[in-house]
């Protein structure tokens, strides 16, 4: 695109606020896992109540990512990025002062979720537009995804340290401080494309997509209480999403612009990439929630002890993420994604085989290390597959859809495994949750197996990928 300067061209400093934004949002999704006992005691609520807050945060992100991506075309990427930081920061401060679960849900689950949905799509759109060369773009995605993965993996450790030495409330103040730093650093970002206020916004599509996803995830959340309610909510959610698809098709037929074009769903390679993204984040957040809850509720470990054990996952993810660029030059994306899933599945098996049979807390380390290594290997290739499948003028839509898939995976991971755990922590629920995660990893591996050996990254050849 002529308006975007060719880059390696983009200043390196631009990557810092973008990567930090992905870090803090991923951190927010996992750090509460080690605060479950502290928050439930302080706010006089239950483990399930805290689980609802965590799941709702991830769900609000997933439900609003597509609308958030679309708004960037209308109001500009930088403006949405900064607005998201503002909303997120207010939510973090409100959460820090929460007198009860209701206010915590308002601050953390709602406001931080909305803020994240506004600021994350611009991160990936700006990275795509500012880093136009294949190599520089891959490196940019690598840095951003590495920081996201590290934020999710290190969330329990950092959150545990802050909670144990200060208070769980201080962990939200930490988020507010990081958001302020990102806002200061983000001033140097130049939006490569001007906003277009005339861009229509599909309110009906935004509402239908958000409601449909919410109903499905909430249905899974309530499975341990009332299976009939679960079935009703999931079916209703599916019907609402069917209405969403019908709505966007009708708008396209009448010449109006829908929330997301149906062409976003006709690229076979991109669809497979979206499935791998969803399953990766389901694995990461599901494992984090299961292990953190088990260590605190069953083993009785405090926040910092739980966080230290998660260091293994952080180290594994950091090591493989640092090698991501080198691996991408040597191996096809399909190979890296498949290898990542296999290593993750092995990690889950090790967690199941060792951790549940040993009183030594470090028995969890080998499995968590393998999961970190596997995730770091495949996070960047999956994003590259999806983002590179579309032209620059489609980046707002595909970025929102891509981040929605990842965050839907995160919310499903917490809802699904949380439901299994709450059903009976002392009656084999840990093993059942881990087996479920291994099955999810297998689904991701199968999806990756259908990717071509050498993924086509030229958007002009989209017809070759459809079907």
């Amino acid at each position: 695109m002529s308006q975007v300067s060719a880059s390696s061209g983009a200043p390196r400093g631009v990557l810092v606020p973008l990567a930090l934004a992905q870090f803090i949002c991923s951190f927010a999704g996992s750090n509460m896992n080690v605060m479950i006992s502290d928050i439930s005691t302080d706010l006089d609520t239950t483990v399930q109540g805290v689980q609802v807050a965590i799941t709702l945060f991830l769900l609000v992100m997933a439900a609003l990512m597509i609308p958030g991506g679309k708004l960037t075309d209308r109001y500009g990427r930088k403006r949405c990025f900064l607005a998201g930081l503002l909303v997120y920061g207010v939510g973090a401060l409100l959460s820090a002062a929460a007198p009860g679960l209701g206010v915590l849900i308002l601050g953390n689950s709602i406001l931080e979720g909305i803020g994240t949905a506004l600021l994350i799509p611009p991160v990936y759109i700006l990275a795509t537009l500012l880093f136009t060369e294949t190599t520089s773009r891959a490196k940019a995605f690598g840095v951003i995804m590495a920081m996201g993965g590290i934020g999710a993996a290190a969330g329990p450790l950092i959150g545990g340290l802050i909670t144990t030495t200060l208070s769980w409330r201080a962990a939200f103040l930490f988020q507010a401080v990081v958001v302020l730093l990102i806002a200061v650093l983000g001033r140097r970002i130049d939006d490569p494309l001007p906003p277009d206020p005339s861009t229509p916004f599909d309110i009906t599509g935004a509402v239908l997509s958000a409601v449909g996803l919410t109903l499905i995830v909430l249905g899974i959340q309530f499975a341990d209480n009332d299976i009939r309610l679960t079935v009703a909510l999931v079916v209703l959610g599916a019907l609402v999403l069917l209405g969403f698809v019908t709505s966007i098709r009708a708008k396209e037929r009448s010449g109006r612009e829908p929330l997301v074009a149906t062409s976003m769903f006709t690229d076979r390679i991109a669809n497979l990439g979206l499935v791998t993204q969803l399953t990766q984040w389901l694995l990461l957040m599901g494992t984090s929630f299961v292990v953190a809850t088990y260590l605190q509720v069953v083993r009785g470990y405090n926040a910092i002890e739980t966080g230290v054990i998660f260091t293994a996952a952080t180290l594994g993810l950091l090591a493989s993420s640092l090698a991501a660029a080198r691996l991408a030059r040597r191996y096809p994306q399909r190979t890296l994604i498949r290898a990542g899933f296999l290593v993750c599945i092995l990690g889950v098996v090790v967690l199941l085989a060792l951790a549940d049979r040993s009183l030594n807390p470090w028995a969890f380390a080998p499995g968590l290390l393998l999961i970190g290594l596997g995730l770091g290997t495949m996070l960047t290739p999956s994003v590259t597959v999806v983002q590179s499948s579309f032209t620059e003028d489609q980046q707002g839509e595909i970025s929102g859809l891509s981040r929605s898939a990842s965050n839907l995976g995160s919310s499903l991971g917490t809802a699904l495994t949380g439901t299994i755990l709450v059903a009976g922590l002392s009656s084999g629920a840990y093993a059942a949750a881990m087996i479920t995660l291994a099955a999810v990893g297998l689904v991701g591996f199968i999806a990756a197996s259908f990717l071509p050996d050498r993924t086509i990254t030229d958007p002009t050849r989209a017809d070759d990928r459809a079907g």
Side-chain angles (χ1 to χ4, degrees):
M1 202 165 197
S2 60
Q3 293 164 289
V4 182
S5 58
S7 165
S8 55
R12 284 184 176 273
V14 168
L15 256 185
V16 176
L18 299 181
L20 275 177
Q22 180 62 80
F23 168 84
I24 199 61
C25 293
S26 298
F27 168 85
S30 67
N31 85 116
M32 278 181 68
N33 291 338
V34 296
M35 307 176 193
I36 293 171
S37 296
D38 295 84
I39 293 176
S40 59
T41 299
D42 193 17
L43 299 185
D44 193 25
T45 185
T46 63
V47 171
Q48 190 173 20
V50 181
Q51 181 208 356
V52 168
I54 296 171
T55 302
L56 284 178
F57 166 68
L58 298 168
L59 177 57
V60 169
M61 286 196 295
L64 298 182
M65 279 291 173
I66 298 176
K70 195 70 173 180
L71 286 174
T72 62
D73 295 329
R74 186 183 181 98
Y75 297 108
R77 287 132 294 272
K78 181 177 180 179
R79 188 177 298 171
C80 287
F81 181 73
L82 295 176
L85 289 172
L86 175 62
V87 175
Y88 188 107
V90 171
L93 293 174
L94 187 60
S95 300
L101 182 63
V103 177
L104 179 65
I105 288 176
L106 174 61
N108 174 248
S109 308
I110 307 301
L111 292 180
E112 287 192 28
I114 292 172
T116 300
L118 284 173
L119 71 90
I120 287 299
V123 167
Y124 290 86
I125 299 170
L126 287 167
T128 302
L129 296 178
L130 292 172
F131 297 87
T132 57
E133 295 175 359
T134 302
T135 302
S136 63
R137 181 181 294 174
K139 288 181 178 179
F141 281 153
V143 171
I144 293 168
M145 290 308 301
M147 288 298 288
I150 291 169
L157 174 60
I158 299 173
L161 287 170
I162 296 174
T163 299
T164 302
T165 56
L166 297 172
S167 162
W168 64 267
R169 298 178 186 275
F172 287 103
L173 293 177
F174 167 76
Q175 293 179 46
V177 170
V178 174
V179 163
L180 178 60
L181 174 63
I182 296 170
V184 172
L185 295 174
R187 293 182 303 171
R188 72 182 68 179
I189 297 175
D190 290 323
D191 197 335
L193 295 175
D196 183 3
S198 65
T199 302
F201 184 74
D202 181 7
I203 297 177
T204 301
V207 171
L208 288 175
S209 64
V211 171
L213 292 175
T214 299
L215 288 171
I216 289 175
V217 175
L218 288 181
I220 296 172
Q221 180 84 54
F222 294 138
D224 61 302
N225 293 327
D226 188 341
I227 191 63
R228 289 174 298 182
L229 178 60
T230 292
V231 173
L233 288 174
V234 170
V235 170
L236 183 58
L239 290 175
V240 172
L241 289 179
L242 179 61
F244 167 63
V245 174
T246 302
S247 171
I248 63 176
R249 285 178 174 171
K251 283 183 171 60
E252 286 184 327
R253 285 196 297 268
S254 64
R256 293 176 293 165
E257 186 173 338
L259 180 68
V260 56
T262 54
S263 61
M264 296 289 106
F265 303 99
T266 59
D267 188 293
R268 184 178 63 87
I269 294 176
N271 288 340
L272 291 170
L274 289 171
V275 172
T276 64
Q277 283 186 28
L278 186 149
T279 49
Q280 287 164 11
W281 284 94
L282 197 160
L283 267 173
L284 175 56
M285 299 306 296
T287 301
S288 176
F289 186 83
V290 170
V291 176
T293 304
Y294 181 80
L295 289 175
Q296 293 173 90
V297 178
V298 176
R299 295 289 183 87
Y301 297 151
N302 62 29
I304 193 169
E305 289 170 333
T306 303
V308 168
I309 293 170
F310 272 90
T311 305
T314 306
L315 292 175
L317 202 148
L318 179 61
S320 53
S321 295
L322 290 175
R326 186 168 65 254
L327 291 172
R329 289 194 295 268
R330 297 182 59 183
Y331 302 103
Q333 291 163 342
R334 182 181 77 164
T335 300
L336 294 176
I337 298 171
R338 292 178 70 195
F341 276 115
L342 285 178
V343 175
C344 282
I345 293 171
L346 178 59
V348 172
V349 171
V350 171
L351 280 174
L352 187 59
L354 296 181
D356 201 29
R357 289 174 170 79
S358 173
L359 294 178
N360 186 340
W362 291 107
F364 289 84
L368 291 172
L369 176 65
L370 287 170
I371 290 173
L373 287 169
L375 287 167
T377 300
M378 61 180 171
L379 285 175
T380 299
S382 288
V383 172
T384 303
V385 164
V386 175
Q387 297 284 153
S388 299
S389 294
F390 297 93
T391 56
E392 289 177 347
D393 61 342
Q394 296 173 303
Q395 288 302 310
E397 290 177 280
I398 191 56
S399 180
L401 183 59
S402 173
R403 296 303 89 210
S404 180
S406 296
N407 286 287
L408 180 60
S410 296
S411 57
L412 285 173
T414 303
L416 182 62
T417 58
T419 297
I420 296 171
L421 285 182
V422 172
L425 274 168
S426 59
S427 58
Y430 169 78
M434 298 310 294
I435 291 171
T436 301
L437 289 172
V440 168
L442 182 60
V443 170
F445 175 82
I446 293 172
S449 298
F450 286 98
L451 290 170
D453 283 331
R454 294 287 175 181
T455 303
I456 301 169
T457 56
D458 179 2
T460 63
R461 297 175 61 188
D463 291 341
D464 298 335
R465 298 188 300 265

